[in-house]
Amino acid sequence: MEPMEVGVFLCSTGIYDPLKAIEKLKELGIRNCQLPPLGEEWLSPEKAETVKKALAEAGIVPTTQFVGFENESYASMAAVEETVGFLSEARRPARIEHTKKIIDFAAIVGVPAVAAHIGFVPEDVSDPRYMQLVETVRELCDACAAKGLMFSMETGQETAEDMREFIKTVNRPNLRVNFDPANMILYGKDKPIEAVGILAPWIVSVHCKDGTWPTAEGMLGSETPLGEGQVDIPAFIAKLKEIGYTGPLTIEREAGDDRIGDITRGRALLESLR
Ligand code: MG
């Protein structure tokens, strides 16, 4: 893989069968990807071997395996706090178990990192959920380390400084960041270009995604095609170069009805900047 080679988050194709999505990326000439959250039905060693073979045959390198859970909602800030990641005590044990199965799957496929939205890190470190989240991430980092993998936190549901403090508290050598500049804006949390500098030591992968700031209290902003939002994609890529980032530029597109068109145009933009 070349430095800053353009890749695609598999589910951003709008094709939810990973094997069919891999075929589509091959057709587009994409040579690296992030693997999408997968349901239990995919998490057997046999299925992992099938995905590994499909990637190899397509000449596509998997760079990160994402974790997602049933019943997560991104409809509003309150819905995210309630349903996303490991914050809910009731949902946590089953989600940790599911994540461990994903880690086993990723190890067989040969993906170097497993990533997740862990849920809003509480701003108040004396909130009991803060240390519960620290312990959860430690457990997942250790499960990844046992397989020689990294565990990455997706950015954006807290400020970069809060995330940095959280990472220091977790204190695990294989903990990394999947930096998504649009999330910083969509959740109204932070300025993405400055945030790259704050989280630089931990950034192992990025989402190339764009969006606009929220316009209503309690709601998220809107995702846009790459280059049409408020991230300032040229400044984002320039900042990544400044910190010495050489990993993939993974396009993520979660909205709109022309995913492939948006990916193709986004790729052209990134190729002109990298
Ligand atoms: Mg993202």
Side-chain angles (χ1 to χ4, degrees), residues 24-273:
K24 177 52 91 175
L25 290 200
K26 184 185 176 190
E27 206 180 294
L28 296 173
I30 297 285
R31 302 192 306 167
N32 77 82
C33 75
Q34 292 187 334
L35 297 175
L38 296 169
E40 292 282 331
E41 70 279 13
W42 282 93
L43 303 182
S44 67
E46 296 75 24
K47 284 276 168 60
E49 291 291 352
T50 306
V51 170
K52 182 181 186 177
K53 188 160 167 264
L55 287 164
E57 284 175 3
I60 296 171
V61 176
T63 56
T64 307
Q65 170 68 58
F66 259 81
V67 181
F69 306 106
E70 283 180 357
N71 305 314
E72 287 187 316
S73 167
Y74 291 84
S76 68
M77 298 293 184
V80 171
E81 179 162 6
E82 170 70 24
T83 67
V84 171
F86 301 98
L87 211 51
S88 155
E89 214 166 343
R91 293 186 170 102
R92 192 180 304 132
R95 289 185 170 186
I96 289 174
E97 281 319 299
H98 180 72
T99 305
K100 287 180 175 175
K101 286 186 194 169
I102 295 259
I103 291 167
D104 291 343
F105 176 92
I108 295 171
V109 176
V111 192
V114 170
H117 273 291
I118 65 166
F120 283 119
V121 172
E123 284 174 26
D124 175 6
V125 298
S126 68
D127 182 327
R129 296 176 305 168
Y130 189 90
M131 280 313 291
Q132 289 167 7
L133 216 45
V134 166
E135 288 301 338
T136 299
V137 173
R138 282 179 180 156
E139 184 176 346
L140 296 175
C141 283
D142 293 347
C144 281
K147 301 277 182 183
L149 309 183
M150 295 174 278
F151 182 74
S152 304
M153 290 166 57
E154 170 97 351
T155 55
Q157 295 175 339
E158 47 284 311
T159 66
E161 286 189 359
D162 284 350
M163 183 176 256
R164 179 177 61 191
E165 291 317 300
F166 182 83
I167 290 168
K168 287 181 175 173
T169 305
V170 171
N171 190 26
R172 285 295 187 271
N174 64 331
L175 181 55
R176 296 289 186 280
V177 165
N178 183 79
F179 191 97
D180 185 325
N183 285 350
M184 296 265 166
I185 287 177
L186 295 173
Y187 290 91
K189 287 293 179 180
D190 214 338
K191 295 178 187 157
I193 313 303
E194 287 87 337
V196 170
I198 293 167
L199 293 169
W202 298 281
I203 297 175
V204 68
S205 54
V206 299
H207 279 164
C208 294
K209 190 172 87 183
D210 212 341
T212 56
W213 290 88
T215 53
E217 185 67 30
M219 301 305 289
L220 279 72
S222 301
E223 196 193 320
T224 68
L226 211 57
E228 296 177 23
Q230 293 173 322
V231 166
D232 190 347
I233 297 296
F236 175 56
I237 303 301
K239 186 72 185 180
L240 289 173
K241 287 180 187 171
E242 187 191 309
I243 66 161
Y245 178 80
T246 57
L249 300 177
T250 306
I251 296 171
E252 179 179 37
R253 179 76 174 126
E254 299 180 290
D257 50 17
D258 182 15
R259 303 287 190 92
I260 301 300
D262 289 341
I263 287 170
T264 303
R265 287 181 287 275
R267 181 188 188 187
L269 172 63
L270 294 173
E271 290 292 355
S272 74
L273 298 170

